[in-house]
Amino acid sequence: CSCTDVHQLDRAEVLEFFLLLRGPAYWHILQVDNKNSTISKMSFRSIEQLLRRNSKIKISQSIIANGIHDPKEEQSVQALRESLLASNQLPEKFDDHHVLLRFLRMRGFNIIKAKEMFLNMLKWREDCAVDTIAKDFKFEEFDALKRCYPHGFHGVDRFGRPLYIERIGSVDLSKLMQVTSIDRYIKYHISEQEKTLSLRYPACSLAAKKHISSTTAILDVKGLGMNNFSKAAREMFIEIQKIDSNYYPETLHQLYIINAGSGFRALWRVLKAFMEARTLKKIQVLGTNYLSTVLEAVEPSNLPEFLGGTCSCSATGGCLLQDKGPWTDAGIIRASKVRLLIR
């Protein structure tokens, strides 16, 4: 976004975009009459300083009054934050209420365990150069991968969360291992997780006008069982599960495993041994009569026809090829660029 683009925006519009992206803690400011307030006349630097100062408040009374945050959760988040700051182990990038809350929830609000998990995440990011992967990793085999492994984001659920769909029962595993390696696929997975945190969740939050920080997922396992789930596939599953649970906790809202036959259910008994109990509670294993359950969470227009919905995406080559969602909307992309400039 060039400087000319920014100057063409109304200052109140820029502020509204920024406040929406910052999350519920700042939405009460949007209720101010911009024409009669001093906020609309403030410089970008003044706005940034105001928001940074407000973000350090221990407990925001307006948030609690509106019922957005639970006071006990606020206290736990603050306790974890103060502990990390005291040991100089809280990078500004992760100094965020919702980020710290995810680690607390995953560890049952045990401050010591949540801090340990958080620090393990920081070490993993450094050891694996995650920031470099997010910025520079090029997955040239993307198109080839999609042809043998149908998966992708496709719209949002009824709450506004990103909807992720994977047809793992249709995976050609031998071809998958020919077009990429386990190491490169894991890097691709990490880059997608980083994109979800930095782009998809903020865009969905802006579109829904509420904080979005988790994903609804559908896993179609038709035809999948013990016999066709190879050693390489098991190794990949275990590594990805480890990464998601340990370093991206609480980003799964709900997982619907559909078309689960007897072969998959036998496999599932093995796989779930590698998963956190809290994660397992978010998973529903369904047979072929899954549609009514899934439609409680997803509008038919956001569900592909091959799963019983009404979307075909024929103009773009198929529902799992275009990364459809608020994060591809031109207006929201524009708002995201404004957000980066204000930072």
Side-chain angles (χ1 to χ4, degrees), residues 270-330:
V270 176
L271 295 179
K272 67 181 183 180
F274 298 96
M275 305 178 73
E276 295 263 3
R278 184 173 175 84
T279 301
L280 287 170
K281 291 179 180 179
K282 301 177 181 182
I283 300 174
Q284 290 190 55
V285 179
L286 307 169
T288 55
N289 296 321
Y290 61 83
L291 189 57
S292 61
T293 301
V294 170
L295 289 178
E296 291 176 6
V298 183
E299 293 278 1
S301 60
N302 277 325
L303 194 66
E305 284 184 343
F306 60 76
L307 295 181
T310 60
C311 186
S312 62
C313 292
S314 56
T316 54
C319 287
L320 300 186
L321 296 179
Q322 60 165 326
D323 198 22
K324 170 185 175 182
W327 50 91
T328 62
D329 180 270

Side-chain angles (χ1 to χ4, degrees), residues 205-237:
S205 298
L206 181 60
K209 294 191 176 182
K210 53 192 171 188
H211 183 76
I212 302 293
S213 60
S214 59
T215 300
T216 291
I218 299 173
L219 191 64
D220 184 358
V221 297
K222 184 177 181 179
L224 184 65
M226 293 287 288
N227 294 334
N228 56 359
F229 200 67
S230 68
K231 179 182 178 182
R234 288 195 298 273
E235 289 176 356
M236 187 183 297
F237 172 86

Side-chain angles (χ1 to χ4, degrees), residues 263-274:
F264 174 79
R265 292 179 188 274
L267 175 63
W268 180 240
R269 286 194 289 271
V270 176
L271 295 179
K272 67 181 183 180
F274 298 96

